Amino acid sequence: MNHPVIRVQPLQFPWQTQDPFLFCAYHLDDYPPGDPNLGPGAAATRGRAIGQDFAPHRAWRMYHGAQVPGFPYHPHRGFETVTIVKQGVVDHTDSLGGAGRFMNGDVQWMTAGKGIQHSEMFPLLAQDRGNPLELFQIWLNLPQSSKMVEPHYKMLWREDIPTVERRDAAGRGTFIDLVAGRFAERTAPAPTPDSWAADPAHAVSIFTVRMEPEAEWTLPATATGATRSAYFYRGDRVSIGGQSVAENYVTTLRADAEIAFRNGAVEGYLLILEGQPISEPVAQHGPFVMNTEQEIREAFAEYRRTEFGGWPWPEREQVHGRDRGRFARYADGSEERK
């Protein structure tokens, strides 16, 4: 039998992925207390490359934000973003009039489809303590047949995301949050309707995993032909399929084999991505992902002409106020509050 581990390689930024995924960005920022404008303040940002602050050696970054950390409005076409917030706050606005605030375990699933602009800002709500932020943004491709669907987003609130608990023979725990897919007879909330993940035959799974020290668990085999990657992003060492893996390494795994995990001496954290590949040509330029270079040129031309509906908000880096709770407002005017 072939070994279940195909290869192990160090993580880069953004994290390398396999079809049907395009990439994964992991953000971990130890933000200070916020100022009255929900940012770190002028003194804290002095000397930074405002607008392009990605410095890896610093405890936190402003990214493209000038006053509030985050990503002011920018376009997307032809793929999906899955934003998993483990801790911290994200404020969303978009060119369709959608808006929201999500945090601390919530997930936003957005199908960009034929084109949307959105803003993702990280308001620093707490003024008397730090504002740590930890999130993943995963780009999931769309097949050619879905690249020009209507844009759409939905919230997967933390209360609706199942957590599967596994205890080994010694009682040590592993906790698997199901953002997408199915595990141990539990099923994640449905993604957006045009997603590649919406069809169970595509076997798309997105799991975040926390393992107690020396805990053991087994990831079952999934669909033949699927891709499977395990990102060990925090901990000491973990054994995956019998191979020792260090922190900040990604392991490419066979999908048709059970995979045994045994954690090291400290708590360990993993992200697992798997799914059937779309197996179509990929042409990507910045925020646009299509099948051909001609389609990329057409996307840029349309964006210059229409701005994908323009920007209906007063600020480039729109935030929703210190006292606003978790909510999602959609393009049809409907709203959810948590």
Side-chain angles (χ1 to χ4, degrees):
M1 179 179 291
N2 293 329
H3 197 277
V5 174
I6 297 172
R7 64 180 174 272
V8 180
Q9 58 193 124
L11 285 173
Q12 305 165 357
F13 182 85
W15 293 354
Q16 54 271 45
T17 57
Q18 303 180 80
D19 185 2
F21 302 97
L22 296 163
F23 80 75
C24 175
Y26 176 62
H27 298 282
L28 181 61
D29 293 278
D30 189 17
Y31 287 118
D35 72 356
N37 296 313
L38 307 185
T45 58
R46 191 172 296 119
R48 290 176 179 263
I50 295 300
Q52 291 287 340
D53 180 15
F54 287 79
H57 63 283
R58 295 184 185 269
W60 53 270
R61 289 140 287 276
M62 289 294 288
Y63 301 105
H64 294 308
Q67 180 171 277
V68 177
F71 296 85
Y73 74 84
H74 54 281
H76 290 306
R77 169 179 276 188
F79 65 100
E80 304 186 280
T81 61
V82 182
T83 305
I84 305 169
V85 181
K86 303 303 285 186
Q87 57 179 332
V89 182
V90 176
D91 277 1
H92 164 88
T93 45
D94 65 46
S95 55
L96 304 180
R101 169 168 287 171
F102 54 105
M103 61 180 80
N104 298 340
D106 298 326
V107 176
Q108 186 201 64
W109 198 302
M110 188 185 79
T111 302
K114 68 180 184 181
I116 190 171
Q117 292 194 77
H118 75 152
S119 170
E120 304 153 291
M121 305 309 300
F122 311 143
L124 308 185
L125 301 186
Q127 294 180 291
D128 58 350
R129 62 186 185 278
N131 289 274
L133 174 83
E134 181 183 20
L135 66 80
F136 306 92
Q137 186 169 92
I138 300 159
W139 286 20
L140 175 61
N141 201 7
L142 287 167
Q144 186 176 40
S145 59
S146 300
K147 284 194 177 293
M148 297 297 286
V149 298
E150 292 294 325
H152 179 76
Y153 95 87
K154 70 176 294 187
M155 287 305 308
L156 313 184
W157 300 109
R158 62 176 179 254
E159 296 88 348
D160 302 321
I161 295 173
T163 299
V164 174
E165 180 178 337
R166 281 286 183 261
R167 293 281 170 182
D168 62 22
R172 294 170 294 230
T174 297
F175 306 89
I176 304 124
D177 293 335
L178 310 188
V179 175
R182 185 175 177 83
F183 182 81
E185 306 306 317
R186 301 290 300 278
T187 302
T192 50
D194 294 302
S195 174
W196 182 251
D199 185 343
H202 297 155
V204 173
S205 293
I206 301 173
F207 302 151
T208 61
V209 180
R210 177 174 66 87
M211 300 182 69
E212 292 179 346
E214 299 182 355
E216 301 180 24
W217 71 291
T218 299
L219 177 65
T222 188
T224 301
T227 62
R228 172 179 270 185
S229 300
Y231 302 82
F232 183 49
Y233 64 92
R234 194 190 318 160
D236 175 24
R237 298 194 76 86
V238 64
S239 172
I240 302 178
Q243 183 159 336
S244 181
V245 177
E247 182 188 53
N248 291 322
Y249 274 73
V250 56
T251 305
T252 303
L253 300 164
R254 285 178 50 207
D256 60 352
E258 288 189 344
I259 310 294
F261 289 76
R262 180 182 174 88
N263 191 28
V266 302
E267 200 165 56
Y269 294 82
L270 300 109
L271 171 72
I272 295 175
L273 301 180
E274 55 188 33
Q276 291 285 4
I278 294 172
S279 300
E280 293 178 355
V282 174
Q284 179 176 353
H285 191 100
F288 303 143
V289 182
M290 303 300 289
N291 295 104
T292 68
E293 293 299 328
Q294 177 58 33
E295 290 170 337
I296 293 291
R297 289 190 288 271
E298 291 168 0
F300 274 98
E302 183 174 340
Y303 179 63
R304 286 192 294 268
R305 186 173 67 253
T306 70
E307 295 186 327
F308 295 160
W311 190 244
W313 302 94
E315 303 292 339
R316 292 184 66 250
E317 43 190 76
Q318 186 72 32
V319 291
H320 301 310
R322 188 178 307 280
D323 298 327
R324 190 73 192 263
R326 299 154 67 211
F327 78 99
R329 185 166 66 246
Y330 301 103
D332 64 1
S334 63
E335 186 165 319
E336 299 174 344
R337 297 187 184 186
K338 292 290 180 178

